[in-house]
Amino acid sequence: MPAGLIALALGGFGIGLTEFVIAGLLPQVARSLTVSEAAAGWLISGYALTVVVGALVVTAATAALPRKAVLIGLVALFVAGNLLSAVAPDYRLMLLGRIVAALCHGTFFGIGSLVARRLVAPERASRAVAVMFAGLTVANVLGVPFGALVGERWGWRATFWAITAIGVVAGIALAALIPSWAGTIDQADGNGSSADGLRAQLRAFRSGQVWLTLAATALGYGGMFGAFSYLAYTFTEVTGFSSTDVAWLLVVYGTGLVIGNVVGGRGADRDRDRTLLVSLAGLAVTLALFGLLAASPVASVVLVFLTGLFGFATVPGMITRVTDHAHGVPLAAGANVSASNVGNALGAWLGGLALSAGLGYTAPLYVGAAIVLAGLAVLAVAARGTARPVPESADLGGTG
């Protein structure tokens, strides 16, 4: 495995911690900064909204720059945001720190996925992307318990100091382990201009396949996270688990994410569209069964694992699919991250509507299944429209 992939995974791990760790720290942060828990919740939603916008704006602004330099700069932004959070004397600066850190999120994973592909042979592209995203999936498993443990022992600020240190190490690793040739831009479009120019990037969005893949990404994520957002209520109000059981149940879910990421990457390198279709179908069936069997503790444990597995098995293939059909422009990779976060918000909103309508604590699972089925239908249309594989662009080629 190229050492550069490990550096990318370490960066993904730090960014993933930043996203997830705050959930276990909200009560401490709210008390320390003397704000309501509702206001503290904006430290999560503000981050997510910034990811959606930043993935597009920052990617477009940096598209013509050498990608290795951009990745190192993004990690520097990540370090600055977490450092500000660690020392913030009040809520406004804490929120600003979260926003600054979030600006790097989507662009790091978007550009990082393109760099990861260049480090390996073309037939291993999805597996390379999966290695990078492994850092994010591990952070999902460890993020909340890590934050809670460090925060409980040394205070919530210590958690952000620790994440800042991880960012520094990731930046050094990227500088040392990413080959310069993997982070350069050497592709030209048909007119002889840089393929990373903004005009060329926007032209990539003329492709119907790009839009269909982005829609399938949003719906697939939306269904999974729409259900996930309310799992704690399902576990405690329907299954009968105690509130203290929720933490280890989320670890089971996170373990499914980790395994699904690996399996999905390998499957996508063999037959990408089939892997994506099977994963989305598996996720829809899993969520529907979860709704039916939520009263069973054993079934719930198995099904929450499968939710994570099928849900994240789509990630490597979706990234490589959208960048192939966009001919490798970074903005498409960033748009894929934005689409996933839009899906998260949509799924959580629709699941909340179902709860508000009095449909019960299993309703978000059925809503999630319906959203995923819509994503499956979109991807099926996209797959039928690709009679021939899209040629790999020179920029996405590997070292062989």
Side-chain angles (χ1 to χ4, degrees):
M1 179 186 300
L5 291 180
I6 303 301
L8 290 168
L10 181 59
F13 176 70
I15 292 172
L17 279 181
T18 300
E19 179 178 17
F20 301 120
V21 78
I22 190 66
L25 298 173
L26 279 185
Q28 287 188 50
V29 173
R31 288 193 302 269
S32 175
L33 301 180
T34 61
V35 296
S36 68
E37 291 195 1
W42 273 100
L43 299 174
I44 297 176
S45 53
Y47 184 100
L49 291 173
T50 303
V51 170
V52 174
V53 177
L56 299 175
V57 175
V58 178
T59 301
T62 60
L65 301 176
R67 290 172 184 168
K68 178 177 178 178
V70 172
L71 289 173
I72 295 171
L74 291 170
V75 172
L77 193 66
F78 161 83
V79 168
N82 281 286
L83 181 61
L84 181 56
S85 294
V87 302
D90 56 40
Y91 171 75
R92 288 180 299 176
L93 284 178
M94 176 70 177
L95 181 58
L96 178 61
R98 294 286 293 166
I99 290 172
V100 170
L103 285 171
C104 78
H105 185 121
T107 305
F108 182 89
F109 285 110
I111 292 181
S113 67
L114 299 178
V115 173
R117 296 185 65 161
R118 296 199 69 187
L119 293 173
V120 300
E123 64 271 15
R124 298 179 63 88
S126 294
R127 274 173 280 189
V129 172
V131 171
M132 183 188 68
F133 273 92
L136 179 65
T137 59
V138 172
N140 193 298
V141 177
L142 299 179
V144 175
F146 170 82
L149 177 63
V150 174
E152 184 69 27
R153 191 170 183 86
W154 295 290
W156 65 267
R157 294 183 188 276
T159 302
F160 286 96
W161 279 111
I163 296 174
T164 300
I166 291 171
V168 171
V169 173
I172 294 171
L174 290 168
L177 300 178
I178 297 290
S180 296
W181 55 262
T184 57
I185 300 169
D186 57 12
Q187 181 187 6
D189 65 15
N191 297 321
S193 60
S194 168
D196 288 283
L198 181 58
R199 185 179 302 175
Q201 292 196 70
L202 293 176
R203 278 202 299 272
F205 289 89
R206 295 176 181 175
S207 167
Q209 286 292 331
V210 169
W211 286 106
L212 288 170
T213 307
L214 292 176
T217 295
L219 292 168
Y221 266 87
M224 179 175 68
F225 282 102
F228 173 77
S229 299
Y230 304 98
L231 276 181
Y233 294 104
T234 306
F235 285 140
T236 56
E237 302 298 327
V238 179
T239 315
F241 285 113
S242 69
S243 58
T244 57
D245 289 323
V246 172
W248 69 261
L249 289 165
L250 295 182
V251 170
V252 172
Y253 167 80
T255 303
L257 297 182
V258 174
I259 297 174
N261 179 55
V262 175
V263 173
R266 290 181 177 275
D269 280 335
R270 290 193 294 269
D271 189 329
R272 186 168 57 201
D273 280 355
R274 178 175 294 179
T275 296
L276 292 173
L277 289 167
V278 169
S279 298
L280 288 174
L283 179 59
V285 171
T286 296
L287 292 175
L289 286 175
F290 204 163
L292 290 170
L293 304 175
S296 166
V298 173
S300 293
V301 172
V302 173
L303 291 167
V304 76
F305 170 80
L306 291 177
T307 297
L309 188 149
F310 284 119
F312 225 81
T314 64
V315 171
M318 289 295 193
I319 285 280
T320 56
R321 193 180 203 282
V322 77
T323 52
D324 276 353
H325 286 287
H327 304 292
V329 299
L331 191 58
N336 195 76
V337 178
S338 290
S340 66
N341 280 271
V342 169
N344 294 352
L346 173 67
W349 177 62
L350 292 175
L353 287 181
L355 286 177
S356 299
L359 299 179
Y361 290 110
T362 60
L365 293 165
Y366 294 118
V367 170
I371 296 172
V372 174
L373 280 176
L376 178 63
V378 170
L379 189 66
V381 171
R384 286 177 61 86
T386 54
R388 292 175 298 178
V390 175
E392 291 280 348
S393 66
D395 187 56
L396 295 183
T399 64

